[in-house]
Amino acid sequence: SNCDELLLKLCASKGEGAQKNANARKRQNVMLRKFDISILHLAVDEGLLKKKGTSYIFAHDQIRHAAYSLIPENERGHLHISIGYSILEGTHDHQIEDVLFVAVDQLNQGRHLIHEEDERVELAKFNLKAGEKAMSLATFTS
């Protein structure tokens, strides 16, 4: 396949959807962003990904699992932490609620690598906020 293995790994580590949020990618240069998007389009052309609005999702869960298996286990936690913080850092304060579950899930998957007390407290606060949001959504729907 002509599809970039690293990009598939990154998409796989994000779970079912690989959100292409311009705010979450602010710090990357324009050339890299164009390269990422062209690789995503190539993956869509090859049937590995499907584009839905501004999101890219794997065409099949087995493709996501296969791509994720390409990431060495000892690198997965670091990758999840990096993705989680990238999502949070690249999102405006008023939009945090929109990405909270995804960001917290990513950070939780790498929590065993978070050793600094202030970072662990910050993660606990994010989990509390996500839990409160989940409870309010459950209350609203019942």
Side-chain angles (χ1 to χ4, degrees):
S1 166
N2 295 328
C3 199
D4 183 32
E5 187 174 299
L6 176 60
L7 191 59
L8 275 180
K9 290 177 184 179
L10 286 171
C11 291
S13 67
K14 291 182 182 182
E16 283 192 26
Q19 184 70 28
K20 291 297 296 172
N21 180 339
N23 292 329
R25 301 178 69 83
K26 264 197 291 198
R27 294 185 316 201
Q28 290 186 349
N29 65 42
V30 173
M31 245 173 69
L32 182 57
R33 203 170 312 141
K34 286 181 182 177
F35 176 75
D36 286 351
I37 292 171
S38 67
I39 292 297
L40 287 172
H41 288 288
L42 181 59
V44 170
D45 291 344
E46 292 182 5
L48 298 171
L49 298 176
K50 291 181 182 179
K51 185 173 183 191
K52 291 188 178 184
T54 59
S55 296
Y56 293 83
I57 61 168
F58 281 96
H60 193 279
D61 200 40
Q62 292 298 323
I63 296 171
R64 182 178 64 84
H65 287 295
Y68 192 72
S69 73
L70 295 172
I71 305 168
E73 285 188 38
N74 64 332
E75 294 177 17
R76 291 177 186 174
H78 294 289
L79 186 59
H80 286 295
I81 289 172
S82 176
I83 292 168
Y85 281 126
S86 292
I87 291 169
L88 292 172
E89 290 169 3
T91 305
H92 295 288
D93 289 341
H94 67 279
Q95 294 175 320
I96 290 288
E97 290 291 318
D98 298 337
V99 298
L100 185 63
F101 291 140
V102 174
V104 171
D105 179 55
Q106 290 296 318
L107 294 171
N108 283 337
Q109 290 185 59
R111 72 183 173 277
H112 62 281
L113 298 170
I114 300 175
H115 302 292
E116 298 294 322
E117 184 176 347
D118 60 331
E119 291 177 0
R120 293 179 71 78
V121 168
E122 180 182 48
L123 179 57
K125 288 178 182 178
F126 283 132
N127 274 289
L128 176 61
K129 192 171 186 177
E132 290 171 343
K133 180 179 177 182
M135 292 295 289
S136 72
L137 291 173
T139 302
F140 180 73
T141 59
S142 37

